[in-house]
Amino acid sequence: MDWIEVANENSNTTNEILSFYDYMELFRKDPAKHVRPSYRYISDMMRYFGTDEHGQSKLFTKEDSEAPPVYGQEKIISTLLQNLRNFEEEGFNNKFILLVGPNGSSKSSTVKKIMKGAEEYSETDEGALYTFEWVFPINNVVKGTLGLTGKHEPRDVSSFADLDDKDITAIMPSELKDHPILLIPTDYRQKIIEDALAGNEELLELVRKSYLYRGDLSKRNKMIYDALLKNYKGKHNEVLKHIRVERLKISKRYSSCAVTIEPQLHVDARMQQITMDKRLQTLPPSLQSLNLFSLQGEVVLANRGILEFSDLLKRPLDAYKYLLMTMETGSINIGGILTQLDIFFIGTSNEVHLAAFKQHPDYNSFKGRFNFIKVPYLLDYMEEEKIYKKQTEGLSDRTKFEPHALTALCKFSIMTRIRSCMGKHYDDAKLTAIVTGLTPLEKANLFSGKRQLPDRLDTEQRQILKHGIDSIKHEFENDNLYEGKFGISPRDIKNILYRLSDIHKTVTFVEVIEYLGRLIQKKNEYDFLNMSTHGDYHNPSRFLELIKNECLDQFDKELRESLGLVDDRSYEDYVKRYIENVNSVIKGEKIKNNVTGKYEDADQYFIKEFESNINLKEDPKIFRSHLISKLGAWYLDNPKQQIVYKTVFPDVVERLQESFRNEQKKVIRNISQNLVYFQAEMNDSKNKMPQNLNKEDRGQIQTVLENLSTKFGYSQKGAFELIQFMIKERY
């Protein structure tokens, strides 16, 4: 039980209980911190956590078991901040924020992150919040005790805040967690705020619009204050003796300033009379005559914080009609008591329920008081991967997810969520021709953080497409069928990962594609499988073909690099040198040697080697003449432009690459023949089988496997499977 002693030493409760005078001293030192309504508090909280090097809010990417990270939703976060700034201009939370999107698009996770951030922020000095409660001492504290002379000996107590429990007869909390500054009568409070913020006119102007400047105490606190003031013959200092200011901690778990209302039907706020409560019979007589009520419910618990309506539109409309007045006035009528609220209202709903809500006659009344924020599925596969990173790491003890496996799965998910570009949405004819020819995979790569452009495009097309990426991303933004509204859910992807780990010890892109191949047959379970195809779009079987080819290309490059078969020649320089030498032969001119600076005859040996590498079958003279003619035509069509030989002669470059690939194929085929023997030797732990591989072939395979592991992160089993699959598909 040593923890008790440590905990006692670390406890610092004295700073959390203050007299009203102590609190005003804190206010004097940092007035800006103590005049923050909920909307400004949440804005400051989000700024407090800051952003990372990529401009993403650290609050939303922070790992937390109670509030998982939210990736790729920077636009939604930016829109939320803009709404908070609008609330500052209005002086209260005058709009209900409704996050709308498909199931599993991180709507609730976004709210959880805001609540969790507010919890942590309220624990810091920068995020300190305060409220108060009423303390009523026993008579001896007020009147003193009888001394030896038989006379009363009054005690000079400036505040009852620090009294021990034995000296207290009753404590009355502030159920709405009223701000301590509201205890100051309005006229005096306004003067104090004006003086405190005199050097910050911009902030002062915003505070003037808030309830902290114009508002007053909640009804019960106001009744208590006025009754005590009357009892003390107008002496405010005597009333304020009864105030104990406390640190207010935000906590969703304990429903303190962070509350979620579930979709089941119940009353969000209610009132209960407490005057006859026996516990309050010890209150001063001036209060016992008051008709006091206790306010209860989620709205009351959430005051000065965040109130989330989960799946709002699943509730009957009458259950949240009160929001119409609340958003209009910033107050709520509870049993005839008009109560000022300071709550950031936010809710979630899916597209199906919103579509039904729009058909309701009262929709237009709500529309003006709601701000609808779309929360689509992610369209960046790199951000999507981050969602599952922790899950795959947690499964690593039973399943190894090989490189490109998770990427293949995430690219598939993005491809199910995007639409084919429509030419009528673009003014530039060249851009139109490019975007309408993009495959789903090319578009998914384009939307990623890498903004990967298709290799098949020439330099000019790549430049045009690069400048048009934002237009492509925003193309269907205001369309009813916007990108990210449909497609496979991240929840489904998580289930797929669990299922794959149950089936396989090693998961490569091959296992992913095979599993997805079975999944796309289940049209009754997934709506996106029933969408009408548009070319390669909304065509899942084509998605898998595109992904398979891209993954094979990537592994092919990694395998060749692991074999030391990387073609590091510069095709641009290689073709340029050939063209210059051929041009010199045809014109009968000498060519300048860039090393010596002397003019020399054309290099006939290099010309023949080049033509041999491209496997030239036709007459060399005719081929050379055709190239020079094509070069001249390019110069006529593109005056004053810098020539790029790879662009002008793409067929020549392709023939060079094909020649090199043919050389590589011989090596890879040799490996494929030896791979079976190598695998048999690896499985033969007792060395009973004859050794069919020589030392050189065995060393070559071991080197490949080692390189695939150290350079690219493959396991030996995964590398084996992929090499076999590659040979089967490509060689």
Side-chain angles (χ1 to χ4, degrees):
M1 300 297 288
D2 293 343
W3 67 268
I4 294 178
E5 186 176 344
V6 177
N8 288 341
E9 291 176 358
N10 291 338
S11 294
N12 189 16
T13 57
T14 54
N15 291 336
E16 298 187 8
I17 296 178
L18 308 167
S19 70
F20 184 74
Y21 300 94
D22 294 333
Y23 171 75
M24 289 308 294
E25 182 60 22
L26 290 179
F27 175 85
R28 184 189 64 79
K29 291 178 180 177
D30 191 356
K33 188 172 82 171
H34 294 276
V35 287
R36 294 184 292 182
S38 59
Y39 47 80
R40 185 171 184 84
Y41 185 82
I42 295 170
S43 294
D44 288 349
M45 176 271 293
M46 293 174 78
R47 282 190 285 268
Y48 169 78
F49 284 96
T51 56
D52 59 20
E53 64 274 13
H54 305 296
Q56 296 183 331
S57 172
K58 291 181 181 177
L59 167 64
F60 291 90
T61 56
K62 185 179 179 183
E63 288 285 349
D64 191 285
S65 58
E66 296 179 0
V70 175
Y71 296 108
Q73 297 290 16
E74 287 74 31
K75 187 175 180 181
I76 282 78
I77 296 165
S78 175
T79 306
L80 283 171
L81 284 169
Q82 182 58 54
N83 275 277
L84 291 167
R85 286 192 287 270
N86 294 343
F87 296 158
E88 281 197 82
E89 293 298 327
E90 291 294 329
F92 68 102
N93 299 284
N94 71 325
K95 297 283 185 182
F96 186 100
I97 307 298
L98 188 62
L99 304 181
V100 182
N103 293 327
S105 63
S106 75
K107 301 182 295 295
S108 296
S109 297
T110 300
V111 180
K112 280 182 184 176
K113 272 298 181 188
I114 295 172
M115 286 185 172
K116 189 63 180 177
E119 282 185 24
E120 294 182 11
Y121 186 54
S122 71
E123 301 267 356
T124 67
D125 290 339
E126 294 91 334
L129 289 172
Y130 294 89
T131 186
F132 66 87
E133 58 188 8
W134 298 94
V135 177
F136 298 99
I138 60 176
N139 285 334
N140 286 347
V141 173
V142 180
K143 297 179 179 179
T145 57
L146 288 172
L148 294 174
T149 61
K151 296 181 180 179
H152 283 290
E153 295 179 2
R155 292 168 59 182
D156 183 18
V157 179
S158 60
S159 172
F160 305 139
D162 295 322
L163 291 181
D164 294 330
D165 279 359
K166 63 183 177 62
D167 295 325
I168 297 173
T169 184
I171 296 176
M172 182 85 73
S174 175
E175 58 205 354
L176 283 162
K177 300 175 282 293
D178 281 359
H179 197 297
I181 203 169
L182 294 175
L183 288 160
I184 304 173
T186 306
D187 293 342
Y188 301 103
R189 183 190 338 131
Q190 291 178 354
K191 178 68 167 60
I192 289 170
I193 292 175
E194 293 276 352
D195 293 342
L197 299 178
N200 192 342
E201 187 61 35
E202 183 180 354
L203 177 58
L204 178 58
E205 187 60 35
L206 294 173
V207 174
R208 285 186 185 128
K209 300 174 183 178
S210 75
Y211 81 101
L212 295 174
Y213 187 87
R214 299 179 292 103
D216 210 333
L217 292 166
S218 59
K219 183 166 183 178
R220 192 174 83 180
N221 285 330
K222 182 66 173 171
M223 290 171 70
I224 295 172
Y225 193 100
D226 289 347
L228 289 175
L229 186 63
K230 183 179 179 181
N231 182 60
Y232 288 126
K233 306 296 189 291
K235 295 180 180 179
H236 290 273
N237 61 307
E238 292 296 328
V239 177
L240 294 174
K241 282 184 180 182
H242 292 272
I243 297 300
R244 175 188 282 174
V245 178
E246 293 186 318
R247 184 79 177 263
L248 175 60
K249 301 288 179 68
I250 295 175
S251 171
K252 183 180 180 184
R253 175 174 293 178
Y254 301 112
S255 298
S256 174
C257 305
V259 181
T260 297
I261 297 179
E262 301 297 338
Q264 66 264 24
L265 178 62
H266 68 276
V267 181
D268 300 336
R270 54 195 173 276
M271 182 175 67
Q272 178 183 350
Q273 188 171 357
I274 63 169
T275 309
M276 301 306 293
D277 192 325
K278 290 182 179 180
R279 293 171 298 172
L280 302 178
Q281 289 181 4
T282 53
L283 289 175
S286 58
L287 299 185
Q288 290 183 22
S289 62
L290 296 179
N291 193 18
L292 298 178
F293 289 87
S294 170
L295 301 180
Q296 301 169 359
E298 284 87 346
V299 171
V300 176
L301 293 170
N303 197 42
R304 295 191 65 196
I306 305 158
L307 181 60
E308 176 199 8
F309 289 76
S310 180
D311 285 319
L312 173 73
L313 301 182
K314 285 184 179 179
R315 309 178 86 201
L317 187 65
D318 288 340
Y320 54 89
K321 255 189 177 179
Y322 70 87
L323 291 173
L324 290 174
M325 189 191 82
T326 301
M327 296 297 102
E328 188 74 27
T329 64
S331 59
I332 185 173
N333 191 320
I334 307 176
I337 297 177
L338 195 63
T339 304
Q340 178 80 43
L341 296 178
D342 179 23
I343 299 176
F344 175 60
F345 290 92
I346 188 167
T348 61
S349 178
N350 61 39
E351 289 284 355
V352 176
H353 289 102
L354 178 61
F357 181 48
K358 288 180 178 179
Q359 306 304 315
H360 197 281
D362 287 334
Y363 170 70
N364 287 329
S365 299
F366 281 93
K367 186 174 68 172
R369 294 166 177 86
F370 277 40
N371 273 354
F372 300 96
I373 300 178
K374 291 178 184 175
V375 186
Y377 291 137
L378 294 184
L379 300 178
D380 182 342
Y381 75 85
M382 296 174 70
E383 293 296 321
E384 181 96 357
E385 277 190 67
K386 294 176 184 177
I387 298 174
Y388 318 115
K389 183 180 177 184
K390 190 173 182 180
Q391 182 184 359
T392 54
E393 288 174 352
L395 295 170
S396 60
D397 59 332
R398 62 181 183 183
T399 299
K400 162 70 174 171
F401 284 87
E402 301 290 349
H404 311 306
L406 184 57
T407 302
L409 185 58
C410 291
K411 285 189 177 182
F412 174 82
S413 68
I414 302 303
M415 292 163 77
T416 66
R417 303 168 186 169
I418 55 179
R419 294 174 58 183
S420 173
C421 294
M422 301 177 70
K424 65 180 182 180
H425 294 151
Y426 300 89
D427 298 327
D428 188 323
K430 289 185 177 179
L431 179 60
T432 301
I434 297 169
V435 299
T436 52
L438 291 174
T439 69
L441 181 57
E442 288 173 340
K443 191 171 183 180
N445 287 333
L446 194 66
F447 279 1
S448 73
K450 293 180 179 178
R451 294 197 166 199
Q452 185 180 337
L453 304 172
D455 292 333
R456 61 182 175 78
L457 301 181
D458 61 32
T459 306
E460 182 188 10
Q461 289 174 320
R462 291 168 69 86
Q463 197 66 21
I464 292 170
L465 182 57
K466 187 177 180 181
H467 288 298
I469 290 177
D470 289 336
S471 299
I472 300 169
K473 284 187 173 182
H474 300 316
E475 180 179 359
F476 300 107
E477 196 171 54
N478 299 315
D479 197 281
N480 184 48
L481 193 66
Y482 58 86
E483 292 179 307
K485 181 179 180 179
F486 51 88
I488 194 166
S489 164
R491 293 173 184 169
D492 293 320
I493 298 295
K494 287 183 177 181
N495 289 334
I496 290 171
L497 290 171
Y498 281 125
R499 186 67 185 136
L500 284 168
S501 67
D502 289 339
I503 301 171
H504 305 286
K505 294 293 184 186
T506 302
V507 177
T508 69
F509 66 82
V510 179
E511 283 73 31
V512 170
I513 291 170
E514 287 176 351
Y515 186 90
L516 292 175
R518 295 190 296 272
L519 180 139
I520 62 175
Q521 306 303 319
K522 302 175 182 179
K523 295 191 176 183
N524 291 333
E525 296 182 25
Y526 301 96
D527 290 338
F528 73 90
L529 296 176
N530 298 303
M531 299 179 74
S532 300
T533 59
H534 190 275
D536 287 345
Y537 290 82
H538 313 308
N539 188 346
S541 57
R542 181 61 180 148
F543 296 166
L544 298 181
E545 190 66 28
L546 292 168
I547 290 170
K548 184 181 82 171
N549 288 331
E550 184 184 66
C551 289
L552 282 170
D553 288 342
Q554 290 171 328
F555 185 72
D556 198 4
K557 290 177 183 177
E558 292 166 350
L559 178 60
R560 292 168 190 271
E561 186 173 335
S562 299
L563 284 164
L565 300 176
V566 178
D567 187 2
D568 56 2
R569 292 176 295 187
S570 168
Y571 287 110
E572 178 68 17
D573 294 339
Y574 199 47
V575 174
K576 179 182 177 182
R577 184 183 171 193
Y578 174 72
I579 295 295
E580 287 175 346
N581 276 274
V582 166
N583 196 34
S584 173
V585 170
I586 292 174
K587 293 182 178 179
E589 299 173 347
K590 291 192 175 184
I591 189 170
K592 186 178 181 180
N593 187 317
N594 291 326
V595 178
T596 63
K598 296 180 180 179
Y599 285 89
E600 303 172 348
D601 292 331
D603 189 340
Q604 293 287 350
Y605 176 78
F606 171 75
I607 292 173
K608 290 179 180 179
E609 180 196 58
F610 185 95
E611 291 169 350
S612 173
N613 284 339
I614 63 174
N615 197 22
L616 186 64
K617 302 293 185 184
E618 59 193 284
D619 186 331
K621 290 184 178 180
I622 296 175
F623 176 74
R624 297 168 191 171
S625 178
H626 169 73
L627 290 184
I628 298 303
S629 299
K630 190 173 182 179
L631 182 67
W634 186 90
Y635 276 116
L636 288 174
D637 294 337
N638 303 276
K640 299 181 180 179
Q641 282 195 30
Q642 183 71 30
I643 187 170
V644 179
Y645 288 92
K646 286 197 299 183
T647 305
V648 180
F649 306 107
D651 52 333
V652 176
V653 173
E654 177 59 34
R655 288 166 77 171
L656 279 171
Q657 291 172 332
E658 182 61 29
S659 170
F660 188 73
R661 279 195 291 268
N662 289 333
E663 294 174 21
Q664 294 174 318
K665 282 181 180 178
K666 296 174 185 176
V667 179
I668 294 174
R669 284 197 185 107
N670 181 56
I671 283 198
S672 69
Q673 293 168 0
N674 296 327
L675 202 60
V676 177
Y677 298 117
F678 183 85
Q679 193 169 16
E681 288 182 9
M682 294 294 292
N683 294 333
D684 181 27
S685 57
K686 297 182 180 180
N687 297 319
K688 292 182 177 180
M689 294 180 62
Q691 300 290 307
N692 294 308
L693 289 178
N694 59 45
K695 186 177 181 181
E696 183 181 346
D697 289 338
R698 187 180 298 106
Q700 185 183 46
I701 294 176
Q702 287 173 335
T703 300
V704 170
L705 294 175
E706 186 179 336
N707 286 341
L708 284 171
S709 174
T710 55
K711 290 184 178 181
F712 305 107
Y714 290 95
S715 67
Q716 180 167 299
K717 185 174 184 295
F720 257 114
E721 290 178 3
L722 286 176
I723 292 172
Q724 290 172 327
F725 185 74
M726 168 69 68
I727 291 166
K728 174 187 170 185
E729 292 289 323
R730 294 280 175 92
Y731 297 98

